[in-house]
Amino acid sequence: MIELDNLAYSYGGGELLSEVSLKLAPGSFHFLTGPSGAGKTTFLKLCYGALVPTAGHARIFGQDVREMTRDDIAMVRRRIGVVHQDCQFLDHLPISENVALPLTVAGRDVQAEAANLDELLAWCGLTPRASALPPQLSGGERQRAALARAVILSPDVILADEPTGNVDWEMSQRLLQLLVELNRMGKTVLIASHDLGLIRAAKQHVQARVLRISNRRLQLAGADL
Amino acid sequence: MRGPRVIGDLVSGDGSADRVVPPSGQTAHLTLFAAAVMAFLAVFALALSLSTGRLADRWGEDLARASTVRISAPGEQMQAQTAAALRVLETTEGVASARALDATEQRALLAPWFGPEVPVEDLPVPQLIEVIETDAGFDAAGLRLRLSAEAPGAVLDDHTRWRRPLVRAAERLRALGYLSILLIGGAMAAIITLAASAALSANAQVIGVLRLVGAEDRYVARAFVRRFTLRTLAGAAAGTLAGCLALLLLPSSGEGLDMLTGLGFRGAEWLLPLLLPPVAGLVAYAATRRAALRVLGELT
Ligand SMILES: Nc1ncnc2c1ncn2[C@@H]1O[C@H](COP(=O)(O)OP(=O)(O)OP(=O)(O)O)[C@@H](O)[C@H]1O
Ligand SMILES: [Mg+2]
């Protein structure tokens, strides 16, 4: 699915990530942890082609990011659902349209998928807020909407950057359950989070591996966390 | 291939691409206004070109038929002087041909004044020689001198020659009119490029989000292109209509003073200004598309 080969990245100063190698196998479930500023968001961006590695290779669905055109990247993003740390909505459109946006830009018939959309909104507890504008939502509601948008196209891979940062424990369990459910359907999941409780909870439901960024390197954390 | 794509992009009713970009009040109004003004000006430039063109053509034809030499002489010298004048004309530089009119033609010329039954042969009417000039034309003063030496009764009448510089001016004016239309088109392309670039920068965040959820550049560009093309089309249509109405309302003095009152379209020429809005729309389409793809290319 996603393959990083001896990759390094720097924003211009010193290297933020070095010698990173990783294969995300289909159907796998990973957590990514590390202190704030370690480069978790940067790592995810490398995984969905928003950043090009400064050294080494990143291959997405077998294609080297460096050789991909802008449209190739657009197509890849329809197969990778991303929950961004800062959500990123179109503030002039209601939540329901924002969640359906991947369908819209992919030229799919949004009307035909209306039932799916309603179900998804209900699952994320957003039905009462469906016609609100993004700036009118709470932080947690925005994160739920971002997750809903990430999975609406039923992507092969789901990358989530702190998807539970602003929600209470119960809601975070629900969102986790959704991700676990999707993983059981064969989707590859990678969640960046420093919520160790969430990670422990997940491990009861799913075979999850924990990656940790420390000292610019990516390490596989022990079973004990 | 490209034509149908343009139309397809515009009428596909793909309002979705429209909705994802927030409405922009001011740019919209300014684009509409600029397109209307440009179309209004283009109508006048077009009318100017066509009217001066007509003038130049008509006067040009008159010029080509040009001059006559009139020979008044006592009956017995008429033949000799005519022959002498023809000889002079044939050897004059700038004269393409010279031909003495025969009795029938002279009678036709006089008919309006004296009726068809005039016995031209018996009257002391002057003999007329029709002179056709080359494009370069002849030196009238020199020709007069030589004629007076060879055929004292010959008078060169070149009444239409004074129009020659006017024809040249009219032709120049026509060229200027067409140049103005090109310049107006260029200015419109520039204005729309600026407006589209401003709209694109103002919506950088929106474009970023669209890109994150997998929108291709083509999709994002279409939202802007459609908007600016339709706006320009509407503005240009209004401007063209206003321009045509203004032309219709110009006072007409009938004949004469063509330059001033003849400004406008005749008959089928009225179809030409109808082309202005679609052409303006095409210009807007190309300008916005270029601006959009350039701006998008600079984003990650
Ligand atoms: N566009 C950028 N240009 C320059 N430096 C950047 C840029 N984005 C991030 N950085 C820097 O790179 C480092 C890693 O950032 P990143 O966002 O990947 O961290 P993170 O692990 O996601 O942190 P957090 O847990 O707080 O979200 C930070 O020091 C940040 O300041
Ligand atoms: Mg981060």
Side-chain angles (χ1 to χ4, degrees):
Chain A
M1 296 263 120
I2 296 178
E3 203 182 330
L4 309 178
D5 182 10
N6 204 14
L7 163 156
Y9 191 80
S10 103
Y11 279 109
E15 270 187 2
L16 183 62
L17 297 169
S18 342
E19 296 173 29
V20 172
S21 293
L22 174 74
K23 265 188 198 169
L24 282 189
S28 62
F29 198 113
H30 285 89
F31 280 100
L32 177 65
T33 63
S36 177
K40 297 185 292 297
T41 300
T42 306
F43 182 88
L44 292 184
K45 283 184 177 168
L46 287 161
C47 289
Y48 62 85
L51 295 175
V52 178
T54 40
H57 295 277
R59 274 182 282 274
I60 306 178
F61 302 122
Q63 253 184 310
D64 194 316
V65 169
R66 244 181 234 116
E67 282 149 23
M68 284 160 84
T69 64
R70 291 172 58 78
D71 282 350
D72 288 340
I73 293 198
M75 295 326 277
V76 153
R77 287 189 186 162
R78 296 184 189 173
R79 298 177 63 190
I80 303 181
V82 183
V83 182
H84 302 272
Q85 195 166 9
D86 47 2
C87 297
Q88 306 254 26
F89 293 110
L90 295 184
D91 287 344
H92 64 287
L93 292 183
I95 283 301
S96 56
E97 285 191 53
N98 263 290
V99 170
L101 197 58
L103 293 171
T104 313
V105 303
R108 302 259 288 267
D109 184 359
V110 179
Q111 295 306 320
E113 320 237 2
N116 281 339
L117 180 64
D118 289 344
E119 197 182 330
L120 186 59
L121 288 175
W123 181 285
C124 300
L126 286 170
T127 309
R129 307 296 282 143
S131 53
L133 296 179
Q136 298 166 344
L137 296 192
S138 75
E141 286 169 332
R142 287 164 64 83
Q143 278 187 324
R144 285 180 266 152
L147 180 61
R149 185 182 68 184
V151 302
I152 186 117
L153 274 184
S154 184
D156 300 326
V157 181
I158 296 157
L159 306 177
D161 198 352
E162 306 283 359
T164 58
N166 284 314
V167 298
D168 57 40
W169 177 250
E170 202 178 320
M171 184 51 75
S172 75
Q173 289 304 297
R174 265 178 86 130
L175 296 186
L176 182 65
Q177 199 188 334
L178 174 63
L179 288 167
V180 168
E181 212 59 60
L182 289 165
N183 178 247
R184 290 216 176 101
M185 289 162 59
K187 317 280 183 204
T188 311
V189 178
L190 172 59
I191 304 173
S193 173
H194 27 224
D195 185 347
L196 297 187
L198 182 80
I199 298 176
R200 281 195 201 98
K203 284 196 147 190
Q204 295 169 4
H205 303 286
V206 70
Q207 187 84 34
R209 306 227 269 166
V210 181
L211 305 165
R212 184 195 300 281
I213 300 178
S214 81
N215 268 336
R216 300 183 285 134
R217 302 289 185 335
L218 187 71
Q219 298 161 344
L220 199 56
D224 56 330
L225 294 178
Chain B
M1 187 57 217
R2 190 129 178 215
R5 259 268 301 290
V6 175
I7 311 286
D9 276 2
L10 291 180
V11 275
S12 66
D14 187 0
S16 85
D18 258 6
R19 270 182 61 66
V20 297
V21 181
S24 47
Q26 193 173 18
T27 351
H29 294 142
L30 290 180
T31 313
L32 211 63
F33 176 71
V37 169
M38 289 300 173
F40 189 78
L41 295 179
V43 169
F44 283 100
L46 190 61
L48 179 75
S49 302
L50 292 172
S51 310
T52 50
R54 276 198 303 270
L55 208 60
D57 287 348
R58 199 167 64 238
W59 286 359
E61 270 168 37
D62 289 352
L63 266 182
R65 271 184 267 114
S67 327
T68 41
V69 169
R70 199 171 62 242
I71 297 171
S72 326
E76 62 280 9
Q77 286 181 33
M78 188 64 104
Q79 286 281 321
Q81 288 213 16
T82 305
L86 281 174
R87 241 177 291 117
V88 169
L89 286 166
E90 269 152 25
T91 56
T92 301
E93 201 163 332
V95 172
S97 67
R99 186 177 64 85
L101 299 190
D102 61 28
T104 332
E105 286 171 305
Q106 300 241 55
R107 196 178 299 130
L109 279 177
L110 292 174
W113 285 278
F114 299 108
E117 303 300 324
V118 220
V120 175
E121 294 82 356
D122 304 336
L123 286 173
V125 290
Q127 170 67 47
L128 295 179
I129 299 176
E130 181 192 66
V131 183
I132 308 234
E133 291 180 52
T134 61
D135 284 343
F138 53 76
D139 165 24
L143 180 57
R144 274 203 186 91
L145 270 173
R146 292 181 57 208
L147 278 175
S148 64
E150 303 285 329
V155 175
L156 173 65
D157 182 357
D158 61 347
H159 52 125
T160 54
R161 297 190 96 232
W162 61 272
R163 285 182 171 177
R164 187 178 287 274
L166 287 187
V167 170
R168 229 174 282 135
E171 278 164 354
R172 199 72 50 80
L173 217 50
R174 163 167 56 181
L176 279 178
Y178 286 131
L179 181 66
S180 304
I181 294 176
L182 285 185
L183 290 178
I184 289 171
M188 196 164 73
I191 291 173
I192 289 171
T193 303
L194 287 175
S197 304
L200 286 157
S201 325
N203 287 299
Q205 197 257 342
V206 169
I207 294 172
V209 173
L210 291 175
R211 184 114 182 97
L212 285 175
V213 299
E216 292 164 283
D217 285 350
R218 194 149 28 92
Y219 180 88
V220 180
R222 197 189 304 148
F224 290 91
V225 168
R226 210 174 110 94
R227 234 176 234 210
F228 279 91
T229 306
L230 293 180
R231 255 176 224 160
T232 307
L233 210 58
T240 304
L241 188 70
C244 290
L245 283 179
L247 282 180
L248 278 176
L249 294 179
L250 272 185
S252 156
S253 77
E255 288 306 302
L257 286 181
D258 276 357
M259 256 318 283
L260 282 176
T261 61
L263 191 64
F265 303 109
R266 298 267 159 83
E269 284 174 5
W270 280 102
L271 295 177
L272 280 177
L274 294 187
L275 289 178
L276 287 175
V279 169
L282 268 183
V283 169
Y285 176 87
T288 320
R289 208 178 135 80
R290 261 193 59 200
L293 293 181
R294 197 194 62 238
V295 170
L296 289 175
E298 288 163 4
L299 298 173
T300 49

